[in-house]
Amino acid sequence: MHKYRMITALTALLALAALIPGACAVACEAVAPGESVTFEGPDPSPPSYVDPNVYVFYYQWTAEASGETIATGSEQSFTFTVPEVPSGEETLNIDITLLVTDGYGCINDAQTCLTAYAGPPCGISGDDSICEDSPVTSYAEDPSGLTFAWKIDGADAGTGDSIEVDWTGKSFGPHTVTLVVTKTYGADVTTTSTCSMDVLYIQSPDASFTRVT
């Protein structure tokens, strides 16, 4: 959900030099679900002893995840969108393969891999309408293995798994409670998710009275 190393939905341009046989034997590069990833294949570079007009490249790209092909391509540049991590899983491994064939029918291939990290769950529980006569309320989220940053109308409001808000003195009408949840995988991969709740702060009804007779 990359800011990898804070996750944001940026496009990564990776040179073919990163595509080496056996690359998946080492740690795969971290990506975020929904991220657009681009790989660039090599330019044709004919040896001096061949006809340069015949020496052309044909590219065959394949991206696979969980045993299924998620994207293919036949151009020098290969772009695909990282799929969502399956429900209940924290990561999804993606294998990328490039098969290059030249105009003489000679071939070579290279592989690399990516790991998509799921963003943490984000949800807010609490009252979505607050009355002036009872303005204090709390908002919370499951604290397991996560860190939190709360905002009220864009202003920082706390960092715990729950906050208590006193609406006294705030303007009546709509407000927004926002929560950013952060989860860290290992030492250097951090994912974030953001959610919000609209809250209506309601002025208490007039309870004044006068004697009329």
Side-chain angles (χ1 to χ4, degrees):
M1 163 130 106
H2 233 107
K3 292 183 185 170
Y4 262 85
R5 312 263 190 319
M6 292 293 285
I7 295 179
T8 55
L10 299 178
T11 298
L13 178 63
L14 306 177
L16 185 67
L19 293 172
I20 57 175
C24 289
V26 298
C28 303
E29 183 175 355
V31 292
E35 181 177 352
S36 178
V37 180
T38 298
F39 290 91
E40 189 77 13
D43 292 323
S45 181
S48 59
Y49 52 81
V50 302
D51 183 349
N53 295 318
V54 177
Y55 198 81
V56 294
F57 271 11
Y58 302 97
Y59 307 91
Q60 182 178 336
W61 296 90
T62 304
E64 295 183 340
S66 299
E68 296 184 2
T69 299
I70 60 174
T72 59
S74 58
E75 303 294 330
Q76 184 176 1
S77 181
F78 176 52
T79 299
F80 68 94
T81 300
V82 177
E84 294 296 322
V85 177
S87 177
E89 301 291 333
E90 291 188 337
T91 60
L92 175 68
N93 289 328
I94 304 168
D95 297 314
I96 297 94
T97 301
L98 171 62
L99 177 67
V100 178
T101 306
D102 68 15
Y104 290 93
C106 300
I107 62 173
N108 202 352
D109 67 333
Q111 300 83 34
T112 190
C113 61
L114 305 171
T115 299
Y117 288 81
C122 186
I124 301 172
S125 62
D127 297 325
D128 60 3
S129 62
I130 312 299
C131 296
E132 181 184 9
D133 61 299
S134 54
V136 178
T137 190
S138 297
Y139 299 94
E141 166 61 296
D142 180 1
S144 56
L146 308 173
T147 58
F148 306 88
W150 297 86
K151 293 181 182 292
I152 305 293
D153 297 331
D156 293 340
T159 57
D161 58 288
S162 65
I163 59 169
E164 185 176 80
V165 178
D166 186 347
W167 294 91
T168 303
K170 297 186 183 298
S171 61
F172 298 115
H175 297 269
T176 301
V177 178
T178 302
L179 172 62
V180 177
V181 184
T182 301
K183 182 173 184 177
T184 300
Y185 295 85
D188 60 355
V189 176
T190 301
T191 66
T192 62
S193 296
T194 302
C195 52
S196 62
M197 172 188 284
D198 293 328
V199 176
L200 192 62
Y201 184 31
I202 304 169
Q203 185 175 6
S204 295
D206 184 6
S208 64
F209 59 88
T210 58
R211 181 178 177 178
V212 295
T213 60

